[in-house]
Amino acid sequence: MSRFLQIAGLVVGLVALILQFAITMPASMAAGRSLLGSIVFYFSFFTILTNIAAVTVHASLLSPAGYAWFPAFAGQRMRAGVAVAITLVFIVYATVLAGLWQPQGLFLLCDIMLHYITPFIFVLWWLIAGADGTTRWRDISWWMIYPLAYLAYALIRAPFAGEVPYPFLDVAKNGAASVAVSALGVTALFIGLSALAVLVDHGIGRLRGKPAARVQSSR
């Protein structure tokens, strides 16, 4: 089951990312962006970056050489952090962003794959085989680097590009206060999901015969 989910996550993730790139490039260039600008635009979405991370985790663990592909992505800390981030992708999209536009055709297919199917596969795999009871509470501060760095990038890029990847980050339209509240809300959600991930990981570790005391003493 674990290997099946890894293969499914890798295949679905790659297909979704490649297809999204293929349909985004012409649409973006038709909207007036250059080729380089369209590529930057594609890679400016938290959803895309997180799905790339999820695919890389699967690829790392499926490597015939064992941990040969990007070994940093095969570690428990990275696996758990990606599980948190891709859960955030699902929650924010389903509760905030899904109602803001109505994708059609291949855009709708990519939408479903990147925001619903890949998060489900990755989190299910993590619960079944990726979690092992070895996460630490201080890992949360390490995981936080990713969303905070992304937020900084999106806000710094906005005045130069004249656009933001997500409407709730649009300072020019919503005002700094509104964006600050939205950013704090998403950050709080990420921290809450991180805490939940650590608790779940420790619970799974105990079920697999790794009591918290043993896990702590081995660090």
Side-chain angles (χ1 to χ4, degrees), residues 35-61:
L35 175 60
L36 179 59
S38 296
I39 294 174
V40 172
F41 175 72
Y42 173 81
F43 286 103
S44 292
F45 287 86
F46 191 84
T47 295
I48 296 298
L49 297 176
T50 306
N51 271 274
I52 290 173
V55 164
T56 307
V57 169
H58 289 311
S60 298
L61 294 171

Side-chain angles (χ1 to χ4, degrees), residues 16 19-20 22-23 101 103-114:
L19 181 58
Q20 183 71 67
I23 62 178
W101 75 313
Q104 303 293 327
L106 292 177
F107 281 101
L108 176 60
L109 176 61
C110 288
D111 221 44
I112 294 172
M113 293 171 75
L114 292 171

Side-chain angles (χ1 to χ4, degrees), residues 44-178:
S44 292
F45 287 86
F46 191 84
T47 295
I48 296 298
L49 297 176
T50 306
N51 271 274
I52 290 173
V55 164
T56 307
V57 169
H58 289 311
S60 298
L61 294 171
L62 286 169
S63 170
Y67 289 67
W69 276 47
F70 304 102
F73 282 84
Q76 166 58 12
R77 175 190 284 179
M78 180 64 75
R79 300 197 304 260
V82 172
V84 171
I86 208 161
T87 301
L88 183 74
V89 166
F90 162 71
I91 293 175
V92 173
Y93 187 81
T95 60
V96 178
L97 300 173
L100 300 181
W101 75 313
Q102 291 76 43
Q104 303 293 327
L106 292 177
F107 281 101
L108 176 60
L109 176 61
C110 288
D111 221 44
I112 294 172
M113 293 171 75
L114 292 171
H115 294 106
Y116 297 100
I117 298 178
T118 55
F120 174 78
I121 292 174
F122 192 91
V123 173
L124 181 60
W125 165 77
W126 182 74
L127 291 172
I128 291 174
D132 61 5
T134 61
T135 57
R136 298 162 292 185
W137 287 106
R138 65 174 179 266
D139 289 340
I140 296 176
S141 61
W142 189 85
W143 297 336
M144 286 298 301
I145 295 173
Y146 172 43
L148 292 178
Y150 176 82
L151 176 63
Y153 163 76
L155 294 178
I156 292 171
R157 176 179 177 269
F160 301 98
E163 63 185 7
V164 290
Y166 300 105
F168 57 81
L169 295 178
D170 194 339
V171 175
K173 182 178 180 180
N174 303 321
S178 176

